[in-house]
Amino acid sequence: MIFADKLIALRKRNGMSQEELADKLNVTRQSISKWEGAQSVPDLQKILQLSQLFGVSTDVLLKDELSLDDCPTTEPQSYCKKVTLEEANKFLANSRELARLYSIATALCIFAVVPLLFFLSPLLVSVMGESTSVAVGLVLLFVFVALGVAIFIYIGFKNQPYKYLEDTIFELDYGVSGVVEQRKQDYRPCYARNNILGAVLCVLSVIPVTVVAITKSDYTMFALCAMIVMVIIAVVLFVYSGTRWSALQKLLAEGDYSKNGKKINGTLDKISGIYWPLVLAIYLGYSFISNNWGRSWIVWPVAAVLFAVVSAIVDLIAGRSDSDNKE
């Protein structure tokens, strides 16, 4: 009896669908289908997980001469990693540090356009000349973006020890869930307050531009800079509080880190990996070709709105898919 047939028999014996088994092993349903179709075999780590999950030895799974009926099974064991209170505390402390770094990196990337707008103001262009102003603005733009990217890369390394919370199945040790839930409730007022302040700042950020437009003054670029700075403050509030809130949700497997939420995030990660580089290419391409740096910044808020629409569509499709699977 080959491995593929044994896997089918064990899965059906335990009343699992291919998708349910895939979720437990943190692989795709297509991987399970290939294993059962004898098109590929899992690696050693997955073999060990299957052995523990179904309560059979690895010999039974791998040796064709051994049958499931001939070999006694043991009680299925949980192979989930247990997260202790000490590990949870270290992760939450790390998330607080990363929240600050995420906020700084995001602020730097957004602020990068401010020097460009500042040096493109009519007052500075008349003093420095258009070419010099554009050159200085672009240099500062790339410097700030480079700093932001460097911090994001550092964050990736810093978060690596806790990657298993996203990639593998885990369980909280006894009593840890209650402690994390209490910390979540304690942080809820701060999370709500930061989001409210951020939303208010986003609304108020249009005031400088509106005042300049009404008075028809020559300070349009300065007004745009003021607007962006207010948006940056709002984004910092969103990112900082959101990162800490997400860490609590990640431990409790709630919200974006529930089973369905992880599917949505995985899809959005793939989309954003293509979407934002494309937006950057459009922004730089249009700006260089038209030489209209004073207006090309509009690409970013439009792109952000469109991405929000895409996220909502993905969320809707994933929700329908989840409902269909339950039915």
Side-chain angles (χ1 to χ4, degrees), residues 270-286 299-300 303 306-307:
K270 294 177 182 177
I271 294 174
S272 62
I274 301 172
Y275 182 84
W276 291 112
L278 180 61
V279 171
L280 178 59
I282 293 173
Y283 167 71
L284 293 177
Y286 172 75
V299 168
W300 294 105
L306 290 177
F307 189 75

Side-chain angles (χ1 to χ4, degrees), residues 234-245:
V235 169
V236 166
L237 291 172
F238 290 142
V239 171
Y240 180 80
S241 58
T243 301
R244 293 192 60 183
W245 185 260

Side-chain angles (χ1 to χ4, degrees), residues 126-178:
S126 62
V127 174
M128 301 175 60
E130 184 175 358
S131 299
T132 304
S133 296
V134 171
V136 173
L138 283 176
V139 168
L140 291 175
L141 183 148
F142 288 118
V143 167
F144 281 114
V145 170
L147 289 173
V149 170
I151 295 175
F152 278 126
I153 294 173
Y154 174 75
I155 289 172
F157 285 107
K158 190 76 174 176
N159 195 44
Q160 196 62 38
Y162 305 100
K163 193 68 175 174
Y164 68 88
L165 294 175
E166 299 177 8
D167 298 338
T168 62
I169 302 172
F170 69 90
E171 293 178 355
L172 296 181
D173 210 353
Y174 179 76
V176 177
S177 178

Side-chain angles (χ1 to χ4, degrees), residues 119-311:
F119 282 99
L120 285 177
S121 63
L123 294 177
L124 288 178
V125 169
S126 62
V127 174
M128 301 175 60
E130 184 175 358
S131 299
T132 304
S133 296
V134 171
V136 173
L138 283 176
V139 168
L140 291 175
L141 183 148
F142 288 118
V143 167
F144 281 114
V145 170
L147 289 173
V149 170
I151 295 175
F152 278 126
I153 294 173
Y154 174 75
I155 289 172
F157 285 107
K158 190 76 174 176
N159 195 44
Q160 196 62 38
Y162 305 100
K163 193 68 175 174
Y164 68 88
L165 294 175
E166 299 177 8
D167 298 338
T168 62
I169 302 172
F170 69 90
E171 293 178 355
L172 296 181
D173 210 353
Y174 179 76
V176 177
S177 178
V179 173
V180 176
E181 182 63 39
Q182 183 59 50
R183 292 188 181 183
K184 179 184 173 185
Q185 296 305 320
D186 292 341
Y187 188 67
R188 186 184 293 274
C190 180
Y191 176 69
R193 182 174 63 253
N194 286 348
N195 278 277
I196 292 171
L197 288 174
V200 171
L201 281 172
C202 285
V203 174
L204 296 180
S205 65
V206 300
I207 291 179
V209 178
T210 303
V211 171
V212 169
I214 293 175
T215 57
K216 298 180 179 180
S217 65
D218 295 330
Y219 298 100
T220 302
M221 292 302 180
F222 295 115
L224 288 174
C225 292
M227 180 188 73
I228 293 174
V229 169
M230 294 178 70
V231 170
I232 289 173
I233 297 173
V235 169
V236 166
L237 291 172
F238 290 142
V239 171
Y240 180 80
S241 58
T243 301
R244 293 192 60 183
W245 185 260
S246 294
L248 295 165
Q249 287 188 317
K250 188 179 294 185
L251 283 175
L252 296 172
E254 297 177 347
D256 290 341
Y257 300 97
S258 63
K259 185 182 296 185
N260 191 47
K262 286 182 178 179
K263 292 179 182 178
I264 295 172
N265 288 336
T267 302
L268 288 177
D269 285 343
K270 294 177 182 177
I271 294 174
S272 62
I274 301 172
Y275 182 84
W276 291 112
L278 180 61
V279 171
L280 178 59
I282 293 173
Y283 167 71
L284 293 177
Y286 172 75
S287 299
F288 277 114
I289 293 173
S290 66
N291 199 30
N292 194 359
W293 297 90
R295 294 184 179 179
S296 59
W297 63 271
I298 197 67
V299 168
W300 294 105
V302 171
V305 172
L306 290 177
F307 189 75
V309 174
V310 171
S311 300

Side-chain angles (χ1 to χ4, degrees), residues 8-17 20 53-55 76:
I8 294 173
L10 288 169
R11 178 176 60 78
K12 291 182 177 180
R13 182 185 297 178
N14 287 269
M16 293 184 189
S17 65
E20 289 171 335
L53 178 63
F54 294 127

Side-chain angles (χ1 to χ4, degrees), residues 2-76:
I2 65 174
F3 169 78
D5 294 332
K6 293 176 184 178
L7 180 59
I8 294 173
L10 288 169
R11 178 176 60 78
K12 291 182 177 180
R13 182 185 297 178
N14 287 269
M16 293 184 189
S17 65
Q18 287 186 340
E19 186 170 348
E20 289 171 335
L21 179 57
D23 287 337
K24 290 182 179 294
L25 298 178
N26 195 36
V27 298
T28 63
R29 187 195 63 77
Q30 288 75 14
S31 295
I32 302 297
S33 179
K34 288 182 179 180
W35 296 347
E36 294 185 352
Q39 299 175 23
S40 65
V41 293
D43 58 31
L44 181 59
Q45 182 62 35
K46 299 304 179 187
I47 291 291
L48 292 174
Q49 291 180 349
L50 286 168
S51 172
Q52 294 175 331
L53 178 63
F54 294 127
V56 298
S57 67
T58 54
D59 284 345
V60 172
L61 290 173
L62 296 174
K63 294 182 178 180
D64 293 347
E65 63 270 19
L66 297 180
S67 170
L68 294 177
D69 296 330
D70 297 334
C71 300
T73 60
T74 59
E75 285 296 320

Side-chain angles (χ1 to χ4, degrees), residues 81-92 162 164-165 251:
K81 177 178 174 59
K82 292 284 187 179
V83 177
T84 65
L85 181 58
E86 181 182 4
E87 290 173 318
N89 285 333
K90 288 182 178 178
F91 169 70
L92 292 176
Y162 305 100
Y164 68 88
L165 294 175
L251 283 175

